[in-house]
Amino acid sequence: MPQIASRLSVVIAAVAVITAGGGSAAAAPQTGEMTLTFVRHAESAGNASGLIDTSVPGPDLTEKGWEQAAAAALRLADCKFDGVYASTMVRTQQTALPTSELCDRPVVVEEGFHEIEAGIYEGTPEKDAMANYFAAPVQWMQGNLDARIPGSINGHEFKKRMDDSIQDIQDRGDKRATIFSHGGSIMVWTLMTVSNPDMTKLQSDPIRNTGRVVVKGSPAKGWKLVTWDGTPAA
């Protein structure tokens, strides 16, 4: 997609997006089982640079990324979901846009779904992430939520913001939500939270651009991993 179309899509997205604000939905609290489909954003200029970029709002999608976003929408074309959500970062909102338009669902921005803040590792090479930026999140997945990324958050803070946004989704009454988020956030929250985690997925099938994870459960009763598809079909 040409650059001018990319800019136009950003404007359209800004009009279509409903900003949830500080993690509080207006509707009365709801209960019951939910199915959440997490989709990692398509390729962004940050990905293409090979550098860690967790700043908000962050860079746009690349031309390849727009093509991936369109392909992701086709994989969701049955529209069997009742809400489309994205993080505060541009790349997730742009990735969500083709799905939003195809299924006639507005994109709702939730603060809790943005990328794990890299702290002092912001702007460093992604190839070094496991040795530095991701060292604390690995500990979170092993149960040590006190571990902190230098200059950033600990596991308690990360899990709370993700959980708060999921609670917002339930409070709106959505039972089958599609959430456009980030690879690190999706993988870490899932493996920290589900009752049937498979830590080998981090190495064998990491969540690549537009890869997805499906979980089923509820904030009150917990979550079970249903699907982990790190490499979507071309």
Side-chain angles (χ1 to χ4, degrees):
M1 181 178 295
Q3 185 64 26
I4 188 169
S6 175
R7 294 195 186 105
L8 177 59
S9 294
V10 176
V11 174
I12 294 171
V15 174
V17 166
I18 302 171
T19 303
S24 177
Q30 303 288 317
T31 59
E33 187 173 80
M34 305 167 69
T35 298
L36 305 179
T37 299
F38 289 95
V39 181
R40 186 187 175 189
H41 62 81
E43 183 187 80
S44 71
N47 295 144
S49 75
L51 301 177
I52 295 171
D53 189 336
T54 65
S55 61
V56 178
D60 290 344
L61 297 184
T62 62
E63 182 176 348
K64 178 181 178 181
W66 281 107
E67 294 170 355
Q68 292 174 338
L74 293 178
R75 291 192 290 273
L76 295 165
D78 60 7
C79 302
K80 291 182 178 179
F81 46 85
D82 48 18
V84 178
Y85 293 83
S87 79
T88 52
M89 305 181 82
V90 170
R91 54 188 178 266
T92 59
Q93 296 169 33
Q94 291 176 333
T95 305
L97 185 57
T99 299
S100 169
E101 293 176 337
L102 181 65
C103 296
D104 193 25
R105 306 277 197 279
V107 180
V108 181
V109 172
E110 273 286 351
E111 292 182 355
F113 297 137
H114 62 79
E115 186 57 286
I116 302 170
E117 300 92 328
I120 67 171
Y121 302 116
E122 186 76 6
T124 60
E126 287 183 346
K127 64 180 179 62
D128 299 331
M130 289 303 295
N132 46 49
Y133 166 44
F134 229 60
V138 166
Q139 293 187 61
W140 305 346
M141 291 181 283
Q142 295 170 343
N144 179 16
L145 274 63
D146 292 332
R148 181 178 295 277
I149 300 170
S152 182
I153 59 176
N154 65 25
H156 300 284
E157 293 162 336
F158 166 71
K159 190 171 188 302
K160 182 179 187 304
R161 67 168 169 80
M162 291 283 289
D163 288 347
D164 284 352
S165 283
I166 291 168
Q167 184 64 60
D168 275 0
I169 292 174
Q170 186 175 65
D171 290 349
R172 288 188 182 87
D174 288 348
K175 300 297 185 183
R176 299 182 63 87
T178 297
I179 302 166
F180 290 86
S181 185
H182 305 264
S185 294
I186 295 168
M187 291 188 291
V188 172
W189 180 85
T190 299
L191 295 174
M192 287 175 69
T193 305
V194 298
S195 61
N196 58 331
D198 181 356
M199 290 290 289
T200 67
K201 292 291 188 182
L202 286 175
Q203 296 294 330
S204 65
D205 193 22
I207 302 300
R208 296 173 172 84
N209 294 119
T210 69
R212 68 174 186 162
V213 166
V214 180
V215 300
K216 186 174 288 189
S218 71
K221 295 184 179 180
W223 301 95
K224 182 177 181 179
L225 176 63
V226 176
T227 301
W228 181 296
D229 181 11
T231 306

